[in-house]
Amino acid sequence: MLLIRPIQGSDYPALLNIARESGAGFTSLPLDEQKLTQKITHSEHSFAADISQPGDEGYLFVLEDTDTGEILGTTGIEAAVGLSNPLYHFHKSTVVHQCKELGVFNPVEVLTVGNDYTGVTEICTLFLREPYRVGLNGRFLSKVRFMFMAEQPKRFAKLVIAEMRGAADEQGQPPFWNWLQSNFFNMDFSAADLLIGVGNKGFIADLMPRYPIYVNLLPESARRVIGQVHENTVPALKLLENEGFNHRGYVDLFDAGPTVEAQLKQIKSVRQSHRAKVVITADADARRGQNQLAVCNCESQAFRATVSDDCRFDSESHSLWMSPAMADALNVNDGDAVRYLNLDKGAK
């Protein structure tokens, strides 16, 4: 059985392995022992905290195969970004150079550094290990965050963003960074990426250009990747676009990957996930459904979620019928509330 739960201290070796596999550019999981340990501890405290409004909490989940105990992937949520460390983005916009006397009207694109997303919620750290990128695993790992947010709305902001990994060349170097490095930074991409990953962002304010950058003055290799995602990130972007996320011109400072956003209440999986009462039955025919359902309990620190077609929503009793094994995995009893979401493609 696949189970998503909050990360715990014993998951450190698995998280370190995921950090290695994710490679350069996956800023939210730096290959740094102290930072990874801090992320686990911070997540444990966040899940345990009694929250009335979003703050500096960070929630990290793992996807576990309960049959083998192996950790297959991870995903996370930052409750309110930019409060303790500034969150920087470029915003691509248009300015017009016009001279009526000469009959010149020239719109040009510019990149401007800003902190417009301060205080919003960020979904992040979505990584599914290569052998397990099959079936509904990625969909489940992505959507479980929205189920948790739907169940715990006080913990999160009204606006939700996701920073998508930007395009890279065959050597793993972002073409946009190559231009930025040659003009403003005297360090390679992996060094800058690690500094950001461990929370040391002061060099950005010190070295980043302070004035708008005219896009048409950039080399063609840098221009063409602005707003483009890494090839491995395309499936994740499609999932978010299907949820209602859209790109409003904000891109990452270093690789120019797009940041997408959506209002929490308008996210598809938030709107389409619902609560139901648990009915536990050993009768396989009674609980057999026609859809793959993601189901989670309504807890925070003891949060659990799984996915199965061996459960069925009964509209007459407004209840979800499930097996004893599934109920045990979710730590729920008869009459408890759970939240469910249809994971099948095209589900409404």
Side-chain angles (χ1 to χ4, degrees), residues 196-217:
I196 293 177
V198 299
N200 185 357
K201 301 181 181 180
F203 74 100
I204 296 176
D206 294 336
L207 301 177
M208 187 62 66
R210 294 174 174 80
Y211 301 101
I213 299 169
Y214 282 77
V215 173
N216 60 353
L217 299 181

Side-chain angles (χ1 to χ4, degrees), residues 89-315:
H89 286 92
F90 276 128
H91 184 246
K92 186 170 73 171
S93 58
T94 301
V95 297
V96 174
H97 293 222
Q98 180 181 16
C99 179
K100 292 183 178 180
E101 290 81 2
L102 298 178
V104 174
F105 183 87
N106 186 25
V108 293
E109 292 182 329
V110 296
L111 296 174
T112 308
V113 176
N115 309 100
D116 293 349
Y117 281 133
T118 299
V120 307
T121 291
E122 180 185 5
I123 54 172
C124 55
T125 325
L126 176 65
F127 189 82
L128 184 62
R129 298 177 61 201
E130 182 76 36
Y132 309 104
R133 295 173 187 172
V134 295
L136 295 174
N137 292 352
R139 186 182 298 268
F140 180 37
L141 198 56
S142 177
K143 287 177 176 287
V144 74
R145 299 172 296 188
F146 305 129
M147 297 177 71
F148 183 75
M149 295 163 77
E151 194 58 44
Q152 307 278 344
K154 290 183 179 180
R155 294 176 178 268
F156 305 104
K158 294 180 180 179
L159 185 66
V160 182
I161 66 169
E163 295 181 311
M164 313 305 293
R165 188 175 181 179
D169 59 23
E170 295 178 354
Q171 289 73 44
Q173 297 296 310
F176 189 81
W177 167 258
N178 293 337
W179 164 80
L180 199 65
Q181 177 193 34
S182 64
N183 288 278
F184 298 99
F185 293 86
N186 186 24
M187 65 180 75
D188 59 28
F189 177 70
S190 59
D193 186 58
L194 179 60
L195 285 173
I196 293 177
V198 299
N200 185 357
K201 301 181 181 180
F203 74 100
I204 296 176
D206 294 336
L207 301 177
M208 187 62 66
R210 294 174 174 80
Y211 301 101
I213 299 169
Y214 282 77
V215 173
N216 60 353
L217 299 181
L218 301 180
E220 194 275 334
S221 60
R223 289 200 308 270
R224 71 168 180 261
V225 298
I226 295 174
Q228 301 300 307
V229 296
H230 191 281
E231 59 182 359
N232 293 341
T233 307
V234 171
L237 177 60
K238 288 182 177 179
L239 281 173
L240 293 181
E241 289 175 338
N242 188 53
E243 294 284 353
F245 282 75
N246 59 78
H247 181 216
R248 294 185 53 242
Y250 292 91
V251 299
D252 183 78
L253 290 185
F254 290 167
D255 63 20
T259 292
V260 293
E261 66 174 64
Q263 292 291 324
L264 176 57
K265 290 184 178 180
Q266 297 303 316
I267 296 173
K268 183 178 178 180
S269 291
V270 172
R271 293 186 288 108
Q272 295 185 354
S273 65
H274 304 285
R275 269 194 172 196
K277 293 185 300 181
V278 171
V279 173
I280 302 173
T281 177
D283 185 344
D285 290 333
R287 65 175 187 258
R288 183 173 294 115
Q290 297 180 340
N291 304 111
Q292 291 278 354
L293 299 184
V295 185
C296 70
N297 63 22
C298 300
E299 302 295 327
S300 174
Q301 189 175 11
F303 179 81
R304 298 290 185 274
T306 190
V307 58
S308 177
D309 61 359
D310 189 21
C311 57
R312 179 178 66 86
F313 176 69
D314 181 70
S315 58

